[in-house]
Amino acid sequence: TFVFSNPLDAVEHLKRIVFDGNATALQLFIIVLVFAILWYIIFAIVKAIIRPLVHNKPWLRQALERDYERSSKKMFKEIGLEFTKEEAIEYTMNDWPKMQAIYLQHLA
């Protein structure tokens, strides 16, 4: 079982698994699961922080309007999404905080 009295013990256990050249599939699955949970939490926090700061702000709406005309309109059509301009802007505005979290993940 995985019962740790101290969170640092759990971190040390995960480090041992990561650097174990003979780790089992179950141990590696645990590592993947931990990363998935951590990134889910980070995405939720980043979205909760960013969305109220940017939603419906004029600068973001203008940027999304430009992006719609330059490329998003064509992209949405190619993937089978028939959005009006306003629907596309609203969809993208709601998705924007999540995309910032993804960029943050790629920098980490």
Side-chain angles (χ1 to χ4, degrees), residues 5-25:
S5 58
N6 181 346
L8 293 178
D9 292 341
V11 172
E12 287 303 316
H13 179 70
L14 294 173
K15 284 182 188 177
R16 279 193 300 276
I17 294 172
V18 167
F19 294 108
D20 181 1
N22 298 315
T24 66

Side-chain angles (χ1 to χ4, degrees), residues 35-64:
F35 275 117
I37 291 168
L38 286 174
W39 278 114
Y40 178 83
I41 292 168
I42 290 169
F43 276 40
I45 291 169
V46 167
K47 186 174 181 178
I49 292 170
I50 292 178
R51 190 167 194 274
L53 298 174
V54 301
H55 193 74
N56 271 333
K57 297 293 189 236
W59 62 268
L60 181 58
R61 181 165 285 283
Q62 290 168 357
L64 295 176

Side-chain angles (χ1 to χ4, degrees), residues 37-100:
I37 291 168
L38 286 174
W39 278 114
Y40 178 83
I41 292 168
I42 290 169
F43 276 40
I45 291 169
V46 167
K47 186 174 181 178
I49 292 170
I50 292 178
R51 190 167 194 274
L53 298 174
V54 301
H55 193 74
N56 271 333
K57 297 293 189 236
W59 62 268
L60 181 58
R61 181 165 285 283
Q62 290 168 357
L64 295 176
E65 286 174 0
R66 285 191 306 269
D67 187 57
Y68 177 79
E69 296 300 333
R70 290 180 185 154
S71 62
S72 295
K73 182 179 183 178
K74 181 181 174 193
M75 180 199 65
F76 285 135
K77 190 170 187 159
E78 287 174 354
I79 61 174
L81 295 174
E82 297 294 328
F83 285 149
T84 65
K85 182 177 181 177
E86 191 55 38
E87 289 171 333
I89 290 169
E90 191 64 31
Y91 174 84
T92 309
M93 191 178 313
N94 287 330
D95 196 45
W96 196 84
K98 180 185 78 173
M99 294 307 297
Q100 303 318 301

